[in-house]
Amino acid sequence: DLMRRIRKTHPPVSLIGWIAANRNLPNFSYEALPTNVKADLKQQLISEQGSLCAYTGRGIEENASHIEHLKPQNRCELGEDVNYRNLVACFPVDGGDVSYGYGAPVKGGWWNETLFLSPLAIDCSRRFSFTWAGKVRANPKTHLAAETTIRRLGLNESALVSLRRSAINGFFGFGRNQQPIAVPTARRLKTELAQTHPPQKLRPFCFVFDQLLPRYIAGEFVGGNRR
C-alpha cells in the first residue's frame, strides 16, 4: 500500500519464462501475457503486499483486485509494462471502475515521475500523516509529491476516509458499546504490528494504526477527546 512501503521480492517463474521466450517478438507486451501467467503474477503481488491494496491499504483478494502499473501502460517503453518492479496489486477488480472515487482507477493514465510518490519509495511511509478522523495529509505539509499523490489518487475521498475512520474506531475501541483499549494493550498491538510481515496477511490500514499507536500511548487521546 502506498503508505506502507512495498518491498519487491521476485517475479513468478512463469513470468520470467514468458519474458525470456517472448522478449524479441513483435507482441512483447503486458496484453500478450497468457491468463495463467497473469494469475500467477497477481497471486505473487498480493502475497508480497500482505493482501493490502498498494495505494489505499484496503484488504484485497484475487477476486477483488487487479494488476496495476505504477507507470501507466500508456507511458511505458518496450518491456516496462511487464517489468515486475512496475507492477502491484490494487483494489478494485476492474482497474477502470472509477465509481469508488479513489485509488488506481482515478489515477488512470496520469504519470509524473517527480510528483508521484511510489509505494516502492524508501521514504513513502514517512510522507503521509493520518488523523484520528481518518484523513491523510502530506508530511511535511509542503511535500509536493505526497500532496499531489493524495490528490491524484483521491486518498481523502469521503468513502475511503470513512473506511479508515471505521477501522481506527474499531481498532482503538472508540465505537459505540466499546471500551478504548488500555495502554498495555496498545503497546502489545504495536509490537504485533511490527512483527507481522508479508506474505502473512496484514490488517487493512495497519500502517495507520502503526502511526497512531505511539500518539495514543503518549496520551493524545485524553478524556474521550482525540487531539
Side-chain angles (χ1 to χ4, degrees):
D1 56 281
L2 191 51
M3 295 78 175
R4 184 186 184 282
R5 183 190 173 201
I6 296 170
R7 288 173 167 81
K8 297 299 279 183
T9 53
H10 51 82
V13 173
S14 59
L15 177 63
I16 295 171
W18 184 88
I19 290 173
N22 291 270
R23 67 169 68 250
N24 295 319
L25 298 181
N27 66 339
F28 179 60
S29 70
Y30 177 80
E31 298 303 334
L33 281 178
T35 303
N36 68 302
V37 176
K38 285 184 180 176
D40 290 348
L41 178 55
K42 188 196 277 192
Q43 195 172 47
Q44 175 73 7
L45 293 170
I46 291 171
S47 175
E48 178 176 82
Q49 294 168 206
S51 300
L52 297 186
C53 170
Y55 291 162
T56 67
R58 286 189 57 148
I60 54 172
E61 298 173 355
E62 288 182 46
N63 62 357
S65 61
H66 69 278
I67 297 171
E68 166 76 357
H69 290 76
L70 297 172
K71 182 178 182 180
Q73 285 174 270
N74 64 349
R75 302 295 293 272
C76 284
E77 305 291 335
L78 182 66
E80 280 187 321
D81 64 351
V82 291
N83 181 338
Y84 189 67
R85 287 194 61 80
N86 192 39
L87 303 171
V88 291
C90 286
F91 176 87
V93 67
D94 179 355
D97 181 3
V98 298
S99 65
Y100 294 92
Y102 57 81
V106 300
K107 174 177 172 276
W110 174 75
W111 176 248
N112 184 310
E113 195 165 3
T114 307
L115 293 179
F116 174 58
L117 193 53
S118 168
L120 273 55
I122 292 172
D123 66 340
C124 75
S125 60
R126 297 199 307 270
R127 295 304 171 209
F128 298 96
S129 174
F130 296 94
T131 72
W132 291 105
K135 291 195 172 181
V136 58
R137 299 167 179 156
N139 181 39
K141 291 179 182 178
T142 53
H143 198 284
L144 190 55
E147 191 278 326
T148 303
T149 301
I150 289 168
R151 182 166 45 84
R152 288 286 187 170
L153 270 65
L155 298 182
N156 272 327
E157 198 277 331
S158 59
L160 184 56
V161 171
S162 180
L163 285 174
R164 277 197 216 104
R165 184 169 58 246
S166 294
I168 291 166
N169 289 344
F171 183 84
F172 286 94
F174 297 150
R176 187 176 295 178
N177 301 322
Q178 281 186 284
Q179 195 70 21
I181 59 174
V183 169
T185 303
R187 291 198 180 101
R188 176 179 57 77
L189 288 168
K190 185 84 172 74
T191 301
E192 285 178 7
L193 288 178
Q195 291 174 345
T196 308
H197 302 286
Q200 288 176 274
K201 274 193 174 185
L202 302 176
R203 291 181 74 145
F205 305 113
C206 61
F207 50 91
V208 180
F209 311 147
D210 190 56
Q211 192 179 104
L212 292 175
L213 274 165
R215 289 153 58 181
Y216 186 87
I217 292 165
E220 184 170 308
F221 184 82
V222 179
N225 294 311
R226 283 164 277 179
R227 297 188 296 186

